[in-house]
Amino acid sequence: MHDGGWPDVFIRTGTYPWQHLFPMPATPGIGMPGTRSSAATKCISEVPGLANGLTVAVAAAMSLTLFLLLVSYSQGGLLREPTPASFYAVFPHNTLVAMFGTVFGFAILALAIGVTRFWRNVSPGALQPGAGSEAARNALTLKYLDGCHGEGCNEADDRFTPLRPRFHHLTFYCFMLCFASTSVATLYHYLLGWQAPYPVVSLPVLLGTVGGLGLLAGPVGLLWLNLRHAADHGDPQQRPMDRGFIALLLATSATGLVLLAGRDAVVMPVLLALHFGSVMALFLTLPYGKFAHGLYRTAALLKSSIKRRMPNELKLGTD
């Protein structure tokens, strides 16, 4: 179906406006509404322990935090008296680059493999002029989370609400603010030779503070909607990992803000390990939780944009 047809919208949002009247079961080979992919969901559900995504998220964050504390202790950084510029005294810069580079590289590789396989399976055809910009615009504005009528999505009942797209916007754009903060800090370090931590009124701290506050409000709203979500919406097997992802977003933003407030305190090394442990756990689980759906749905939007620009081979409506 073309231009806003329900099959295309179903790929992007995983909800129909009549879902409460006619609950839809999973289709073999396609997966439940809103899943990243049926194969990924099946794989995750079969791994012992991953059925409870929240437990996995907390365990990963705590394990990595403990590991970081042991690393810092072994290098003598944990017991040093903190100073305003002692982040790298706790964890040497090269150690952080090696650890985070490995974890982030794994996440990027896993996501790239999954999206590449998805793209090959859908066989959208050659890229058409204007399709990329239209798909990017639809993705960034969450066009199809308005239910195609501007009233939003169904949540706990058959009423429409705009809360889901609003919380999605808040979460995504505040996540990008945090990413921008990290990017600016990287430029400061490598181009200007300025080492963290930076002054409170500096650009990285301001971007990170606003982004961190938004990453508390947005995920809290999404978690609230997730807990109220009707049982026949979405994939029950995927929902635990989605909640785990939301929990890690909350942990990352909360520990980052606490670290900002206590970076000159004696407990700063512990706060730093908690924050880095949460961030590393977030990276590790990116390919398996809610984050991945953004990439798959962007690819689905691009497929739809390409399809609408292809010649109508059926010639319906023409004589």
Side-chain angles (χ1 to χ4, degrees):
M1 190 173 291
H2 292 272
D3 198 14
W6 283 109
D8 288 338
V9 176
F10 176 58
I11 293 174
R12 300 164 201 159
T13 66
T15 56
Y16 286 103
W18 55 81
Q19 207 163 13
H20 285 277
L21 298 177
F22 308 103
M24 300 187 64
T27 303
I30 297 177
M32 288 289 288
T35 59
R36 263 53 71 199
S37 71
S38 59
T41 300
K42 183 175 183 294
C43 177
I44 291 169
S45 64
E46 292 177 351
V47 177
L50 287 191
N52 192 334
L54 185 59
T55 301
V56 171
V58 174
M62 292 297 98
S63 299
L64 288 168
T65 297
L66 179 60
F67 170 74
L68 290 169
L69 288 173
L70 292 174
V71 169
S72 177
Y73 179 79
S74 67
Q75 297 181 352
L78 189 60
L79 302 179
R80 294 183 183 180
E81 187 68 22
T83 64
S86 64
F87 279 8
Y88 295 138
V90 179
F91 298 107
H93 179 264
N94 292 337
T95 300
L96 292 177
V97 170
M99 291 190 299
F100 279 94
T102 301
V103 174
F104 188 68
F106 161 76
I108 294 298
L109 178 62
L111 288 168
I113 292 174
V115 174
T116 299
R117 289 176 177 174
F118 169 78
W119 187 257
R120 290 173 177 173
N121 288 336
V122 298
S123 302
L127 185 64
Q128 304 293 322
S133 59
E134 179 186 60
R137 181 172 61 254
N138 291 340
L140 293 174
T141 59
L142 299 180
K143 176 179 178 180
Y144 293 99
L145 270 183
D146 65 357
C148 291
H149 43 57
E151 297 182 14
C153 301
N154 303 118
E155 295 299 338
D157 50 37
D158 58 354
R159 291 176 298 177
F160 296 107
T161 171
L163 290 178
R164 180 169 295 275
R166 290 176 182 175
F167 286 137
H168 265 85
H169 273 299
L170 187 60
T171 300
F172 172 74
Y173 284 107
C174 287
F175 181 88
M176 295 307 296
L177 284 178
C178 292
F179 181 79
S181 172
T182 302
S183 300
V184 173
T186 301
L187 294 177
Y188 278 11
H189 181 88
Y190 286 105
L191 294 183
L192 302 177
W194 298 348
Q195 293 191 354
Y198 302 108
V200 175
V201 294
S202 63
L203 186 58
V205 175
L206 292 176
L207 290 172
T209 301
V210 175
L213 291 172
L215 275 182
L216 286 178
V220 164
L222 290 176
L223 181 60
W224 175 66
L225 291 177
N226 187 286
L227 294 173
R228 297 177 65 249
H229 217 41
D232 56 347
H233 284 197
D235 183 0
Q237 291 182 333
Q238 184 65 39
R239 194 168 294 170
M241 285 304 295
D242 291 345
R243 291 175 180 172
F245 172 69
I246 294 174
L248 286 175
L249 279 179
L250 288 171
T252 299
S253 55
T255 55
L257 293 171
V258 172
L259 175 62
L260 175 63
R263 61 183 183 176
D264 294 329
V266 176
V267 295
M268 184 273 288
V270 177
L271 298 178
L272 192 62
L274 279 170
H275 180 58
F276 284 165
S278 300
V279 174
M280 290 182 68
L282 178 65
F283 284 170
L284 276 175
T285 58
L286 283 185
Y288 309 109
K290 198 68 173 178
F291 180 86
H293 88 299
L295 299 180
Y296 285 105
R297 291 184 178 180
T298 300
L301 286 168
L302 181 56
K303 169 189 175 294
S304 179
S305 296
I306 292 173
K307 188 174 69 173
R308 283 200 298 271
R309 288 165 171 77
M310 295 177 68
N312 184 4
E313 297 178 356
L314 297 179
K315 306 297 182 183
L316 298 179
T318 59
D319 296 322

